Amino acid sequence: TDADVFVSLHGKKGSTPVTSLPSQPENFERGITDSFRLLLPDVGEVQSMTIGHNNHGQGPDWCMEMAEVSIESEDTKGSTFYFPCNKWFGTGPEAGGQLERTLLASKEDPRKHMAEYKVEFHTSTERGSGTDANVSFQLFGDKGQSDWQRVVASKEAFERGTMDKFVFKGIKYLGKLSKMLIRHDNTGAQPEWHLFKAVVSCSKDGSTTTFMCNKWIESKDPKHHPTVELAAGGAVPEITSYHMDIHTSTLKGAGTDGSVSIKLTGSEGTLGPYQLDTPNAFGRGSKDSFVLGRVPDVGILQSINVQHDGSGIR
């Protein structure tokens, strides 16, 4: 975060004043640990901590994994208290508009119960399948569920046909994963997203879980954050390529300037619609060839649906 962070400790003897943490431009950056030495009134055994920021700066939103406080007073000298968090502070939906939080103290290091999760998002190869929106997810397992995790990604992420991998630390170990929720905030020039699958790996038990999607995550309401619920262990379809020749009739006026799309239906599912956009295609009497590469196999082909959008001069 670029904002100014403040903290107050609460214990059996009272509370410390709200104190700003000394900050340099390199403090509170992604993936780092910042240490501070503060001279504060003795509050006795620490019970909780209030921590937050003032929402200033170009990038004020902040996700804190945990805080660790070591006390050097006479009564509690050598004591260490832990404050697990792994939550966002900010005005966005993941933070719930909270700029500060009060965290309960623990004498047990929460890192013993945390795991590192690597998450891969595989965007489909369908035309327009990439998204410019901000993505987040939530995991569910037989030992609990995570908070919503915001995916901090570059502008080049989630493009058509790509795989993007992210690492998330500080999430409590969830055991055997059963479900995953994925959503985006419906922002950007092209928020619609066709996600093929997500793959989650856990460092604690070495497991890898696949969550098949193969559908659009979209909403026509700009204020709505579209969400999909995916079950663990979905069957991964075979990947194949379809080569198509489309013959336009020789009848007068048979050609079209419209945007043509095709949908394939087979014994194993439906694919598309895919737009078939090639300059000067679909002229009278022409044969136009197209390849749908690296797409799910729909099995034995049963039908196709071809349509155009009615645009153009003819």
Side-chain angles (χ1 to χ4, degrees):
T1 181
D2 297 324
D4 299 314
V5 177
F6 58 83
V7 64
S8 176
L9 298 177
H10 315 286
K12 293 182 177 180
K13 296 182 179 180
S15 300
T16 67
V18 176
T19 304
S20 295
L21 298 179
S23 180
Q24 299 297 325
E26 62 272 13
N27 291 137
F28 306 116
E29 291 299 314
R30 178 181 176 185
I32 68 170
T33 299
D34 296 294
S35 299
F36 304 94
R37 189 180 182 89
L38 303 176
L39 186 62
L40 300 171
D42 184 5
V43 297
E45 183 174 336
V46 179
Q47 298 173 321
S48 63
M49 165 195 284
T50 298
I51 188 167
H53 64 71
N54 62 2
N55 205 37
H56 291 175
Q58 292 184 339
D61 284 7
W62 181 40
C63 184
M64 187 183 80
E65 182 177 316
M66 62 170 287
E68 181 179 342
V69 177
S70 297
I71 309 296
E72 298 181 359
S73 69
E74 290 299 325
D75 293 343
T76 56
K77 189 172 183 179
S79 298
T80 299
F81 299 90
Y82 302 93
F83 303 86
C85 183
N86 198 36
K87 295 181 184 295
W88 284 89
F89 297 72
T91 57
E94 290 82 10
Q98 289 187 256
L99 297 180
E100 67 176 56
R101 297 180 183 274
T102 297
L103 310 173
L104 297 179
S106 171
K107 291 186 178 180
E108 183 180 21
D109 190 338
R111 286 169 290 200
K112 296 178 181 179
H113 306 288
M114 290 180 180
E116 178 181 282
Y117 287 90
K118 294 181 180 179
V119 183
E120 298 176 1
F121 294 98
H122 297 250
T123 300
S124 302
T125 57
E126 291 198 27
R127 180 178 175 85
S129 57
T131 183
D132 299 321
N134 297 303
V135 174
S136 57
F137 68 91
Q138 188 178 22
L139 295 172
F140 297 78
D142 58 10
K143 294 185 180 296
Q145 67 187 61
S146 73
D147 293 316
W148 279 98
Q149 305 294 314
R150 183 192 301 183
V151 181
V152 181
S154 66
K155 293 181 179 180
E156 293 75 31
F158 308 123
E159 292 298 317
R160 174 184 178 186
T162 62
M163 185 277 284
D164 299 287
K165 182 184 292 187
F166 304 90
V167 177
F168 296 85
K169 300 179 180 180
I171 298 177
K172 65 181 179 180
Y173 176 57
L174 302 172
K176 184 178 180 180
L177 297 180
S178 59
K179 184 174 72 173
M180 184 177 192
L181 299 182
I182 301 175
R183 72 184 181 192
H184 64 70
D185 63 1
N186 220 14
T187 60
Q190 183 177 312
E192 301 85 0
W193 187 27
H194 196 283
L195 176 66
F196 179 53
K197 66 178 179 180
V199 181
V200 181
S201 301
C202 176
S203 64
K204 197 172 185 69
D205 58 16
S207 64
T208 298
T209 308
T210 298
F211 298 87
M212 285 304 306
C213 183
N214 200 29
K215 66 178 69 173
W216 287 97
I217 306 174
E218 60 182 342
S219 174
K220 294 182 179 180
D221 182 355
K223 296 181 180 180
H224 180 245
H225 294 183
T227 305
V228 293
E229 179 178 319
L230 307 177
V236 180
E238 296 291 330
I239 300 300
T240 190
S241 297
Y242 291 93
H243 298 254
M244 299 176 293
D245 292 331
I246 297 181
H247 300 257
T248 302
S249 171
T250 58
L251 293 176
K252 183 178 181 180
T256 181
D257 297 324
S259 180
V260 176
S261 62
I262 189 168
K263 181 166 65 174
L264 310 180
T265 299
S267 58
E268 300 298 326
T270 300
L271 187 66
Y274 282 94
Q275 285 185 299
L276 306 177
D277 288 342
T278 299
N280 304 316
F282 310 117
R284 175 185 175 189
S286 68
K287 182 185 82 169
D288 300 290
S289 298
F290 302 89
V291 177
L292 300 182
R294 290 191 54 78
V295 294
D297 189 348
V298 298
I300 300 174
L301 197 60
Q302 298 172 333
S303 66
I304 64 171
N305 177 274
V306 180
Q307 60 182 11
H308 68 72
D309 62 0
S311 63
I313 300 176
R314 55 185 178 135

